Amino acid sequence: MTGQQTSTGPAGAAQHPMFEKVARVGQAASGVVHLLIAYVVIQVAFGDPASADQSGALRELAAQPGGRIVLWVLAVTLTALALWRLVEAAVGKRSEVEQPSALDRVKTLGVAVAYLALALTAFQFARGSGKSSSEQNAGISARLMQSGGGKFLLVAAGLVIIGIGSYHVYKGAAKKFLDDLHRGRLPRYAEPLGVVGYVAKGLAIAGAGVLVLVATFTADPSKATGLDGALKTLGTAPFGQFLLVAAGLGIAAYGVYCFVLARYGKM
């Protein structure tokens, strides 16, 4: 048989141009969510008590006219993006000849899980059953703190979250995100957006991990509130309002970078 053999199964489905287009829309959907988070964070900086995380952003969207419809679109496209990442973790990127390393597969799998979680949250708010991430995190932490094994899991989770955040900071500062893009035709603003966005998001994620550790060692589940708690804790620091606005602008930069990734990302 001549010519390239067509793959079958999930890997073959991921090679379909339409699936790629939906996955790219998913990248843009992620950008929308991050821009909403940035908007909520800046609102919190000026005294709004909303949740400064995905749940707060999606609740804000659900309250707008037509917001539920947009949430359904976000849920579907983010799910497609997660499935794309799952296939990528299994067989590698279509645009790369070499097979990914074990570490690359694990990182891609982690990204897929994050997108699935975000898609599920969007789905819940689209149905009208969404809940605050902070309340859910505190409730889970309270149950885990009741046993030694649960505390061990919380410490492990906190360290993993800090590791993820630190990797985001490294990826931004070292400009490793450029490896995800077709460099030959990038707009000039892509690089500074990626640097600022990855560093800002990484610091916020690492802060959430630190709060998980603090909550575990102080036996206070209310402190294990994820991204929302990390950003609001930042707001209580000296010059907290300024720092929150800066964090919001940094997350907004990552949101805009997601649109760059949707257009120029290697798939």
Side-chain angles (χ1 to χ4, degrees), residues 6-95:
T6 302
S7 300
T8 58
Q15 304 295 324
H16 196 282
M18 182 55 67
F19 192 81
E20 177 184 337
K21 290 178 181 179
V22 176
R24 289 189 183 277
V25 174
Q27 293 283 13
S30 177
V32 170
V33 173
H34 281 87
L35 287 174
L36 284 171
I37 293 173
Y39 170 71
V40 173
V41 169
I42 293 174
Q43 281 188 314
V44 170
F46 292 97
D48 194 309
S51 296
D53 58 7
Q54 292 93 331
S55 64
L58 296 176
R59 181 181 289 110
E60 182 81 21
L61 180 57
Q64 304 304 315
R68 294 280 180 88
I69 296 174
V70 176
L71 283 169
W72 280 110
V73 174
L74 288 177
V76 171
T77 54
L78 287 168
T79 299
L81 180 58
L83 293 175
W84 182 279
R85 292 301 189 190
L86 286 173
V87 173
E88 181 184 322
V91 301
K93 290 183 178 179
R94 182 175 61 179
S95 58

Side-chain angles (χ1 to χ4, degrees), residues 115-131:
Y115 281 130
L116 279 175
L118 185 55
L120 177 61
T121 303
F123 173 72
Q124 290 172 335
F125 277 98
R127 293 183 59 200
S129 59
K131 296 180 180 179

